[in-house]
Amino acid sequence: MHANEVFSSYRKGSLTFLPTYRYDLYSDNYDMSEKQRIPAWTDRILYRGLPTYLRLVSYSRAELRGSDHRPVYAIFKCDVLVIDVAKKNALQDEILQQLTATDGDELLEEKLSRTIIDDGLPDDLPPPSSSEISWWKTPEHPDGIFSADFTPVLSSSTNPFDLDATSAASLSEEELY
């Protein structure tokens, strides 16, 4: 994790408690068997979210003795946006009315064919995979094999905790809360 090779967008709390693994069952003694295993921190809690919205309050271990592990736990404080369902439904109805309203002799099918709805997804997504076609198998990469210098391009996250808190919301989003 420190080299950012795995779980690069995740965080974990500091280890301020004793190792959580290799206890003798039902005791507070580390491994006393002939193997004399070295105690270690094998159980972790990884979390992801903007520090503005998700804050770690406590990270520790529970002193339960039914296993050779001590379970770890974390307590978080987080901000949650609550949607007013009545306002959301009213906004949906208003948008639907705007989309389906036609002028004079205009056909709804014609109007809808000219309507562009931005779903927020990148336009360059590959087609869905099937048993006949796989997006990772191309003439440049037969059998899905990429050269060692290939670096995948990761799309932007859809995790709501990754959203920039300073970005301005659209009018329709403001109406939801």
Side-chain angles (χ1 to χ4, degrees):
M1 240 177 106
H2 292 293
N4 282 329
E5 293 177 10
V6 295
F7 302 112
S8 60
S9 62
Y10 288 81
R11 294 180 288 152
K12 64 181 178 69
S14 299
L15 296 175
T16 58
F17 47 87
L18 293 172
T20 58
Y21 177 70
R22 196 57 170 108
Y23 283 89
D24 289 335
L25 288 178
Y26 311 109
S27 80
D28 290 327
N29 298 326
Y30 286 110
D31 187 14
M32 300 298 283
S33 71
E34 64 278 355
K35 293 181 182 177
Q36 293 287 305
R37 296 185 190 112
I38 298 171
W41 290 270
T42 58
D43 305 291
R44 306 289 176 91
I45 296 176
L46 305 179
Y47 62 99
R48 181 177 169 192
L50 289 176
T52 310
Y53 298 111
L54 184 64
R55 296 167 303 284
L56 180 63
V57 174
S58 178
Y59 182 48
S60 191
R61 66 185 217 167
E63 298 304 321
L64 302 175
R65 293 170 182 80
S67 167
D68 56 355
H69 288 259
R70 295 292 189 265
V72 296
Y73 67 89
I75 299 173
F76 297 91
K77 275 191 170 185
C78 65
D79 297 327
V80 178
L81 298 175
V82 178
I83 295 176
D84 183 325
V85 176
K87 286 183 179 180
K88 175 183 172 259
N89 291 339
L91 183 60
Q92 282 178 324
D93 291 344
E94 182 182 334
I95 292 170
L96 183 60
Q97 285 176 350
Q98 289 175 5
L99 281 173
T100 58
T102 58
D103 296 327
D105 59 350
E106 181 182 33
L107 295 175
L108 180 58
E109 284 183 32
E110 292 172 356
K111 180 177 181 177
L112 292 177
S113 69
R114 293 188 310 271
T115 302
I116 299 171
I117 298 174
D118 183 7
D119 58 10
L121 296 174
D123 293 332
D124 59 347
L125 290 174
S129 297
S130 68
S131 58
E132 294 82 31
I133 296 175
S134 300
W135 63 264
W136 58 89
K137 292 182 183 178
T138 64
E140 298 85 33
H141 308 287
D143 298 319
I145 298 171
F146 291 82
S147 66
D149 61 347
F150 171 74
T151 304
V153 177
L154 301 176
S155 64
S156 62
S157 172
T158 58
N159 183 338
F161 294 115
D162 289 343
L163 298 175
D164 180 7
T166 61
S167 65
S170 71
L171 288 177
S172 61
E173 284 181 350
E174 289 173 356
E175 291 177 28
L176 294 177
Y177 304 106

